[in-house]
Amino acid sequence: MTPKKEDYLKIIFELGGRKKKVSNKQIAMSLNIAAGSVTEMVSKLVKEGLVDHTPYAGISLTKKGTEIAENLIRRHRLWETFLVDKLNYKLQDVHNDAEILEHVTSDNLMDHLEEFLGHPEHCPHGGVIPDKSGTYREESYLILADVAEGTTVTVDRFIDNHELLSYLDDIHINLGDRLVVGEHTPFEGPIKLTYCDSGEETSIGYKAAHYIFVK
């Protein structure tokens, strides 16, 4: 399987494609690619039995696709955890090296790495880490962009995207932050937010709000 196909399976998993349908637009936004490229790749994944595609409804992982995605996610996120926690990588800089390591690591080494790290359940950007048997807690799939004004939420996880993580570092939004969602500015403008602990106000771009999951 090519790395590009693996990237698609991983992002469909991250967007909730094991439990629900995700759209071409969501995949395109998350991978920063054209919608036409998504359509072409999804067709290939359907032929290989890795995803199901229902026109006008969306895309979901098959059982086979889910198993592959879970294995890839486990490898990638364990290496991310190691690089951030043990080698002091910045979160936004960890993806590329974790991508390389996940493809050159034996199953035996992955098992030892998981044990060394204390069997973590979540990676540094909040995503679940399946254990060796494929068991993990269900993630939140509510995105910040869909939260109504006046609602209080807790930041639960971020999509694994370098540009996004650098942006969130700049505006100081972190996992576990409790926020009150304010005005959704018209025409896909910024969303205003207030930190519950400090009362400070900030805002986040419309596109970035689609990459942040809350509960």
Side-chain angles (χ1 to χ4, degrees), residues 5-164:
K5 289 180 181 178
E6 292 177 348
D7 286 343
Y8 271 80
L9 293 180
K10 285 190 291 187
I11 201 64
I12 293 169
F13 179 94
E14 280 202 72
L15 292 169
R18 188 176 72 93
K19 290 285 189 178
K20 65 186 183 75
K21 297 287 188 181
V22 300
S23 69
N24 281 32
K25 181 180 179 181
Q26 287 177 289
I27 297 170
M29 288 178 65
S30 299
L31 294 177
N32 290 324
I33 56 176
S37 298
V38 175
T39 301
E40 182 179 348
M41 178 59 77
V42 166
S43 295
K44 294 178 181 179
L45 296 174
V46 168
K47 290 179 181 178
E48 294 179 23
L50 299 173
V51 304
D52 289 321
H53 179 217
T54 304
Y56 309 108
I59 301 139
S60 59
L61 294 169
T62 62
K63 181 179 179 182
K64 178 181 176 182
T66 297
E67 289 174 353
I68 294 172
E70 288 172 346
N71 182 53
L72 292 168
I73 287 284
R74 174 176 180 258
R75 289 168 167 269
H76 188 85
R77 292 178 175 176
L78 282 173
W79 277 121
E80 285 188 325
T81 302
F82 174 80
L83 293 172
V84 170
D85 291 354
K86 304 302 180 183
L87 298 186
N88 299 317
Y89 271 59
K90 294 191 71 173
L91 180 57
Q92 61 266 37
D93 296 331
V94 75
H95 176 80
N96 288 341
D97 284 346
E99 190 84 8
I100 293 169
L101 289 165
E102 75 178 76
H103 289 107
V104 297
T105 308
S106 69
D107 290 340
N108 185 44
L109 178 52
M110 290 311 308
D111 292 344
H112 280 79
L113 179 63
E114 181 178 15
E115 184 175 355
F116 172 73
L117 293 171
H119 302 277
E121 295 184 355
H122 294 88
C123 72
H125 56 84
V128 296
I129 302 178
D131 66 16
K132 185 178 180 179
S133 65
T135 302
Y136 51 92
R137 295 183 181 181
E138 194 60 51
E139 294 185 310
S140 167
Y141 298 114
L142 174 63
I143 59 173
L144 183 58
D146 288 343
V147 177
E149 295 179 16
T151 305
T152 300
V153 297
T154 300
V155 178
D156 191 42
R157 65 185 177 95
F158 310 130
I159 288 290
D160 190 3
N161 176 286
H162 173 79
E163 184 180 351
L164 171 72

